[in-house]
Amino acid sequence: MELWIPITVAAAFLQNLRSAAQKHLKAVMGTTGATFVRFGFGLPFALLFLLVLSRLAGYQIPSPNGTFLFWVAVGAFGQIGATFLLIHLFSYRNFAVGTAYSRTEPAQTALFALLFFGERVTGGTLLAIAVSVFGVMLISVAHMHMSWRNLVASIFARNALIGLASGTLFGIAAVAYRAASLALGGPNFMMQAAVTLAWTITLQTLVMGGWMLWKDRAEIGRIGKAWKVSLFTGFVGATASFGWFMAMTLQQAAVVKALAQIEMLFTFTASVFFFKEKINRLETAGCLLIVAGILILVLLG
């Protein structure tokens, strides 16, 4: 098994935990605060990963260059915008459609990788992306009254457009992070990922922290009151990002993001076994399509 596969699966599991924690935080603070927590509370852990690789593993920290810094900035701001939009969707009574469109991220990542770097994916990978994305969208609209009229109308709904924009920014960020990590040129994929993560999350923390000091200081107080959940969010978020960056250093971003759809299976496992929720036929079909997409990716991608 190629190393990027188990790394991606682990990152998807951790991202599922981070998303659940951020949904909880959205109930006690604003969108800006819930977005900041992912970065600000993740920064100490990102620096710890770098320290461990440098001091204990003995890897040399590569020096940043202009190309690296450019793509770090693109990825950092893209991820801030994408996360803000995704969390903003939780404010809508029916955020399922928007969340579904945000899951078009793998397809958009493949497009941006082609446009920016000329990276091409195989026919098997494209098929895997299409199948898994359709599966995720089925799950997301499974509890809506399904009709052609509702389906067409949902495409132009405000929350759908927000979700699509979120997926676009996540796709751009994924391609940018791969470009930044590869621009370092060594010494190995773990250190390249750790350096990319440290620079990225530092920039994100400074930008969002400065914004809150300028525009919304009350939000800082709300974050402080929820520090325990915020610390957990930061830990799993930073660890998941470290996994994404390692995987995307080893493999094309679009391929990694296609496999990352396995996160939805983790969500449904928790729903069924821990919360004793029942799933309907559309949700079951969506899960099976995600599994099919992953199998296609692994076998034919």
Side-chain angles (χ1 to χ4, degrees):
M1 180 184 293
E2 295 184 60
L3 186 57
W4 70 271
I5 295 177
I7 292 175
T8 300
V9 172
F13 177 75
L14 291 170
Q15 180 163 293
N16 183 52
L17 295 179
R18 188 215 71 215
S19 297
Q22 281 185 299
K23 286 182 182 180
H24 170 78
L25 289 173
K26 184 63 178 68
V28 296
M29 64 183 68
T31 300
T32 302
T35 304
F36 170 81
V37 161
R38 172 180 182 176
F39 309 124
F41 283 81
L43 178 58
F45 299 105
L47 297 177
L48 178 63
F49 298 151
L50 188 60
L51 183 65
V52 169
L53 288 173
S54 175
R55 296 294 178 86
L56 299 184
Y59 296 134
Q60 184 177 359
I61 300 177
S63 299
N65 52 60
T67 302
F68 169 80
L69 294 175
F70 171 77
W71 286 115
V72 161
V74 172
F77 284 103
Q79 189 178 28
I80 287 175
T83 304
F84 184 91
L85 291 174
L86 188 60
I87 294 176
H88 180 62
L89 282 171
F90 301 151
S91 303
Y92 285 78
R93 182 178 180 182
N94 181 10
F95 63 84
V97 174
T99 305
Y101 280 101
S102 74
R103 292 288 182 166
T104 59
E105 176 190 353
Q108 297 197 61
T109 300
L111 176 61
F112 295 132
L114 175 63
L115 293 176
F116 294 157
F117 305 108
E119 290 186 353
R120 298 179 181 274
V121 295
T122 66
T125 299
L126 287 175
L127 178 61
I129 290 173
V131 170
S132 61
V133 166
F134 184 61
V136 170
M137 295 185 75
L138 271 185
I139 291 172
S140 298
V141 300
H143 292 281
M144 294 177 60
H145 175 65
M146 295 297 292
S147 69
W148 285 111
R149 183 177 180 180
N150 286 350
L151 196 59
V152 172
S154 71
I155 296 174
F156 302 100
R158 181 180 176 85
N159 52 347
L161 296 176
I162 292 174
L164 193 61
S166 176
T168 298
L169 291 176
F170 272 130
I172 291 174
V175 173
Y177 289 146
R178 172 170 166 79
S181 185
L182 293 177
L184 292 172
N188 58 56
F189 75 97
M190 289 187 294
M191 181 54 86
Q192 288 168 251
V195 171
T196 304
L197 175 62
W199 276 84
T200 299
I201 208 165
T202 298
L203 176 58
Q204 291 168 327
T205 300
L206 290 173
V207 169
M208 293 215 65
W211 175 264
M212 286 191 299
L213 284 172
W214 181 37
K215 287 288 188 179
D216 193 3
R217 294 193 178 187
E219 190 78 324
I220 298 175
R222 289 188 285 269
I223 292 172
K225 292 179 181 178
W227 69 269
K228 291 182 180 180
V229 179
S230 297
L231 189 64
F232 173 77
T233 304
F235 169 68
V236 293
T239 308
S241 293
F242 186 38
W244 295 134
F245 289 7
M246 285 193 290
M248 288 188 289
T249 304
L250 294 169
Q251 179 57 272
Q252 290 181 342
V255 180
V256 172
K257 288 300 182 179
L259 179 57
Q261 300 286 33
I262 197 174
E263 179 191 350
M264 290 297 293
L265 299 184
F266 294 140
T267 301
F268 266 84
T269 300
S271 297
V272 173
F273 290 100
F274 291 100
F275 300 108
K276 306 301 180 182
E277 296 177 356
K278 294 183 179 180
I279 60 175
N280 62 29
R281 292 180 180 179
L282 278 180
E283 290 170 319
T284 302
C287 288
L288 291 175
L289 284 171
I290 293 173
V291 172
I294 291 171
L295 290 175
I296 293 169
L297 180 70
V298 174
L299 297 176
L300 302 178

